[in-house]
């Protein structure tokens, strides 16, 4: 089977903990959400693949899971969302990656992560047949060893890449980061990540539009929206107004997914950025990275409303 998108990066069994006071050493913080034991399935690779599958694309994560694959409900989650599992490798000597996302009453976050089966010591190439004819690869935060293998397999099979750094310099050490950025077609980052990347490069990222393979560089700016730059020009897209924000977790991955959907459908950069903003708005409305992700019909209906909302704005 030919896949529209292959995604690489950590998988995660997410636990959301909300605490009533900021965490401090030596002090107890009370957990305020009763659903703190519920598992929300995520990780960048899974979030993006899930979003794109719901939008009708054939998107597959290349991931490893542990001996608890069925027990956690993750196997059933992939099946329910029609996410292909040909790229799921089982490591019975460990468990599937687990993440504890702690949010205090001031909106500050602490992330605790056990890599489990996605640890770099288990890294191994995935079958070359999975890359044959793939439309695009998405490289996100993961073990450095996995990222390097995924990158080389995409290059060898001439699969274009989209890049989402997620602020992890361990996953992308400087020399490797330069190679990845020089090859990628699409580059996504937030403002803080952009500053970190530019410190490594020693110049403005915009130069990659001329010196590398980049066709678009997109910088998300939180409540200020997003900024895109292509070889033809640049612009800014505001956030979608109207979403009832419940949980911001996974909204960045949703944005990338919406942009990729537009890109693979041949839409211009501004519309891709708008689709990213709209996709992210759905993710914000439910707890968990994948819970609120829309189908294609719902995405496009909200996109049309957003287009009217932003007419004449650039």
């Amino acid at each position: 089977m030919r896949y529209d998108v292959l995604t690489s990066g950590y998988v995660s069994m997410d636990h959301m903990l909300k605490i009533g006071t900021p965490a401090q050493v030596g002090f107890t913080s009370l957990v305020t959400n009763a659903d703190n034991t519920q598992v929300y399935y995520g990780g960048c690779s899974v979030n993006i693949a899930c979003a794109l599958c719901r939008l009708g694309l054939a998107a597959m994560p290349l991931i490893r899971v542990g001996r608890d694959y069925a027990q956690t409900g993750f196997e059933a989650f992939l099946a329910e969302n029609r996410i292909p599992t040909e790229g799921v490798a089982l490591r019975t000597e460990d468990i599937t990656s687990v993440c504890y996302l702690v949010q205090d009453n001031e909106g500050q976050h602490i992330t605790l992560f056990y890599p489990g089966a996605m640890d770099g010591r288990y890294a191994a190439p995935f079958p070359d047949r999975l890359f044959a004819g793939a439309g695009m690869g998405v490289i996100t935060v993961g073990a450095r060893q996995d990222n390097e293998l995924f990158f080389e397999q995409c290059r060898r099979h001439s699969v274009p890449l989209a890049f989402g750094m997620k602020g992890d310099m361990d996953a992308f050490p400087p020399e490797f980061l330069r190679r990845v950025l020089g090859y990628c077609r699409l580059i996504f980052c937030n403002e803080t990540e952009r500053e970190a990347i530019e410190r490594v490069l020693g110049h403005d990222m915009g130069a990659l539009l001329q010196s590398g393979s980049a066709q678009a560089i997109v910088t998300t700016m939180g409540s200020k929206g997003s900024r895109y730059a292509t070889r033809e020009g640049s612009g800014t897209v505001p956030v979608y107004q109207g979403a009832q924000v419940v949980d911001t977790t996974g909204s960045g991955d949703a944005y990338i997914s919406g942009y990729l959907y537009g890109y693979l459908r041949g839409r211009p950069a501004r519309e891709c950025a708008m689709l990213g903003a709209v996709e992210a708005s759905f993710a914000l409305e439910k707890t968990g990275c994948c819970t609120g992700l829309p189908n294609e019909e719902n995405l496009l209906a909200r996109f049309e409303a957003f287009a009217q909302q932003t007419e004449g704005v650039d």
Side-chain angles (χ1 to χ4, degrees):
M1 177 178 176
R2 177 193 177 279
Y3 294 100
D4 296 312
V5 178
L6 300 174
T7 64
S8 174
Y10 288 125
V11 60
S12 183
M13 305 296 97
D14 291 339
H15 297 260
M16 311 293 188
L17 287 81
K18 296 182 180 180
I19 56 178
T21 55
Q24 297 182 63
V25 175
F27 292 85
T28 298
S29 293
L30 295 180
V31 176
T32 60
N33 60 312
D35 64 347
N36 61 79
T37 60
Q38 181 172 340
V39 177
Y40 294 93
Y41 308 107
C44 298
S45 60
V46 174
N47 297 341
I48 294 170
C50 181
L52 292 174
C53 284
R54 289 192 188 178
L55 295 176
L57 294 173
M60 182 172 70
L62 301 185
I63 54 177
R64 291 185 300 277
V65 297
R67 57 181 174 269
D68 57 350
Y69 178 38
Q71 177 188 341
T72 59
F74 186 45
E75 183 178 25
F77 167 82
L78 296 177
E80 289 165 8
N81 285 279
R82 299 182 180 180
I83 300 172
T85 56
E86 193 179 6
V88 177
L90 180 64
R91 300 296 308 217
T92 56
E93 64 268 53
D94 214 326
I95 65 170
T96 307
S97 310
V98 181
C99 186
Y100 298 90
L101 300 164
V102 184
Q103 178 180 316
D104 68 21
N105 60 318
E106 297 177 0
Q108 301 178 102
H109 293 81
I110 299 172
T111 302
L112 307 172
F113 184 69
Y114 175 68
M118 288 298 296
D119 192 282
R121 68 180 182 273
Y122 302 126
F126 282 87
D128 283 324
R129 70 176 185 279
L130 302 180
F131 292 81
M136 175 156 282
V138 181
I139 187 167
T140 65
V141 62
R144 176 185 53 78
Q145 299 93 323
D146 284 312
N147 283 342
E148 290 177 346
L149 287 168
F150 182 75
F151 175 66
E152 291 303 331
Q153 285 188 277
C154 284
R155 283 189 58 183
R156 190 161 65 249
H157 292 276
S158 300
V159 177
L161 268 180
F163 169 81
M165 181 178 177
K166 303 300 178 183
D168 192 334
M169 295 303 291
D170 292 330
F172 299 98
E175 185 52 41
F176 179 50
L177 178 62
R178 293 187 189 96
R179 289 168 55 213
V180 170
L181 292 173
Y183 180 78
C184 282
R185 295 271 184 90
L186 303 175
I187 299 171
F188 299 92
C189 56
N190 62 32
E191 292 175 291
T192 301
E193 291 161 353
R194 181 168 184 139
E195 290 175 3
I197 291 171
E198 290 179 342
R199 283 196 296 271
V200 171
L201 294 178
H203 58 73
D204 186 275
M205 283 180 64
L208 293 169
L209 293 169
Q210 308 303 323
S211 62
S213 300
Q215 295 178 351
I217 299 172
V218 183
T219 307
T220 55
M221 304 180 293
S223 62
K224 296 180 291 183
S226 61
R227 184 172 65 249
Y228 63 90
T230 69
R231 295 168 185 171
E232 289 73 40
S234 62
T236 301
V237 168
V239 297
Y240 172 80
Q241 299 294 329
Q244 300 298 312
V245 179
V246 173
D247 180 21
T248 60
T249 310
S251 58
D253 294 330
Y255 182 98
I256 291 174
S257 304
Y259 194 104
L260 284 172
Y261 168 82
Y263 178 83
L264 293 170
R265 292 287 192 251
R267 289 180 178 257
R270 179 170 179 78
E271 290 187 10
C272 292
M274 291 172 64
L275 285 161
V278 171
E279 181 78 12
S281 74
F282 281 98
L284 293 169
E285 294 178 329
K286 301 284 186 180
T287 299
C289 297
C290 299
T291 313
L293 297 175
N295 60 24
E296 186 176 37
E297 180 181 359
N298 290 338
L299 174 73
L300 294 178
R302 187 172 287 189
F303 170 78
E304 291 302 326
F306 188 41
Q308 295 178 17
Q309 192 182 100
T310 59
E311 189 173 0
V313 178
D314 195 0

